[in-house]
Amino acid sequence: MAPILLLFFLSSLLIPSGTESLQPRPYLIQLQQIQHQQQKQQAFTSIFISQNGIDFLKNYLVGKAISSIVPLKLPIIERTAKIPFLGSVRMVLSNITIDNINVPSSFVKLGDTGVAVISSGTTCNLTMNWFYDYSTWVLPVDISDSGHASVQVEGMELGLTVGLQNQEGSLKLSLMDCGCYVRDIFINLEGGTSWLYQGMIDAFEDQIRSTVENTITKKLGEGILKLDSFMQALPKEIPVDDYASINVTFVNDPFLSNYSIAFDINGLFAARKKDPISIYYHQSLQPPISCIDSSKMLGISLDQAVFESASSLYYDANFMQWVVDKIPDQSLLNTAGWRFIIPQLYKKYPNNDMNLNVSLSSPPVIKILEHGIDATVYANLILDVLQEDQVIPVACISLVIGVSGSIKISGNKFGGNVQLNDFSLSLEWSKIGRLRLYLIQPVLWTIIQTVFLPYVNAHLGQGFPLPIVHGFTLQNAESVFSSSKITICGDVEVTA
């Protein structure tokens, strides 16, 4: 029964009110309040649905919900009445089925902790079978007749109030109020001598009305419980790879405004199948941000701490260590290729093969700025000489590499690439004497450009998942940078 709740609960979140203010859309106010909440409850990713996103989801969910609720069976209605000269007459309405529902308009009000929605002017069509029998002292036989009927219900109003709260990292739904009211019913009998019994069947009008009202109200209540169970069962992490996942537990209660709805989630990277370590990243209240194109349906705001958590996670997992034994200029993996750059290396180990052992000395330092992403990488490069079955480290050079990055969104993943801005080097230690670093620097620049950056970009290009519900895909996405935050804005299409 969860689909019917997609009509009345999710539509309540997603259907705009009947009147629209001429004031600017309150993205800036909303995001500022979200950021204020993040100072109190460690939230590093915010998701907000704009007015156009609300309209899109409303149209999609209303159609899906109606198609899933009908046909809806109603209980059998039976009545016995005493009629002069006829005696006791038993009348039965069976196989009562709602075949069609039309919701032309609705009104929604978003509150601090929940949402109320009223659908007015709703109509529905019913079909049913009718039957009666009676016996009388006039004729010593039972008399019966049967047929079928169509029923038109008009002026139906549906009301639903649902509370939304964060409960231990999941979104808790609680039914606060629910009701259904039917204004008019028109019954048309067919079959048998239906013209003779139309007035008698009209006596069922009140019972049909109450049956429709009670059945729909009950289904709404059952649907809320099932939808709540579904929400509670949602996973609290999105797998990235075999080692990492993204923490998508809810933080704080949802934020509701007249124009949009927003959620805070943790959003940090964490090791899979391990208890997350409490890490308190620095956060400061930043100026509010918004999509450049306000018509975009969805916005996802990622704090700098999300990228810092990924950097720390993969560093701690020893993923930032490489032994390079193949490069485009393979001559640099033999001491002969260094004979004019480090003569003493070639003199001591003539024509020996080499490896380049690279490891980061700390997690990359990532800064999100208004023009893009900058990062500083601290690494150690050890020159290894291969001699028979031995690996002999001969020198260690410390590197400080400055790179800049850009974001690329593909479907429901965001990736990117980096480019080299500058780097500096210093000698940490050497077993072969002093090194002329000014000769080594252009060689390492080439190695960084042709080996390390393509390797890093290949991994970044695979992308990381965005917190988007399965069955929907982001399209026409754009990135908006601000100090310490990135907002990804886009439209949404249905893919399942």
Side-chain angles (χ1 to χ4, degrees), residues 59-262:
N59 293 334
Y60 170 75
L61 293 172
V62 166
K64 279 288 186 180
I66 291 176
S67 64
S68 64
I69 189 177
V70 294
L72 177 62
K73 296 286 187 179
L74 276 62
I76 293 174
I77 300 175
E78 186 172 349
R79 182 177 180 180
T80 301
K82 289 188 177 181
I83 300 178
F85 304 108
L86 293 180
S88 180
V89 179
R90 185 172 70 97
M91 297 168 284
V92 179
L93 302 182
S94 62
N95 197 27
I96 307 172
T97 306
I98 297 178
D99 297 311
N100 176 266
I101 297 176
N102 179 36
V103 183
S105 64
S106 60
F107 171 81
V108 64
K109 181 178 180 181
L110 303 179
D112 293 335
T113 60
V115 57
V117 59
I118 295 175
S119 171
S120 59
T122 301
T123 62
C124 64
N125 298 320
L126 291 80
T127 57
M128 62 184 181
N129 297 329
W130 60 269
F131 169 82
Y132 84 91
D133 66 0
Y134 69 90
S135 60
T136 176
W137 58 270
V138 177
L139 296 173
V141 294
D142 289 336
I143 300 174
S144 64
D145 202 355
S146 63
H148 57 275
S150 59
V151 180
Q152 177 72 20
V153 176
E154 296 183 356
M156 184 164 63
E157 294 184 358
L158 300 169
L160 181 68
T161 303
V162 178
L164 306 177
Q165 288 182 315
N166 172 30
Q167 186 177 75
E168 298 180 353
S170 297
L171 187 61
K172 174 67 177 177
L173 312 182
S174 57
L175 182 63
M176 303 171 66
D177 192 16
C178 180
C180 174
Y181 169 75
V182 174
R183 187 186 66 195
D184 297 317
I185 287 183
F186 303 95
I187 306 172
N188 181 33
L189 270 64
E190 299 175 6
T193 53
S194 57
W195 62 270
L196 182 62
Y197 311 116
Q198 182 70 54
M200 182 175 62
I201 293 298
D202 286 343
F204 278 90
E205 179 178 325
D206 289 341
Q207 287 181 274
I208 295 174
R209 176 185 286 107
S210 63
T211 300
V212 171
E213 293 172 345
N214 293 337
T215 300
I216 291 182
T217 300
K218 180 181 178 182
K219 290 297 183 182
L220 287 175
E222 292 174 352
I224 285 288
L225 293 176
K226 291 184 178 181
L227 186 57
D228 177 62
S229 298
F230 171 79
M231 296 298 296
Q232 299 299 313
L234 286 176
K236 294 184 179 180
E237 64 176 31
I238 299 175
V240 176
D241 50 34
D242 291 338
Y243 185 81
S245 63
I246 297 177
N247 185 341
V248 291
T249 55
F250 284 90
V251 178
N252 304 314
D253 292 333
F255 179 81
L256 309 175
S257 75
N258 290 333
Y259 296 93
S260 56
I261 181 170

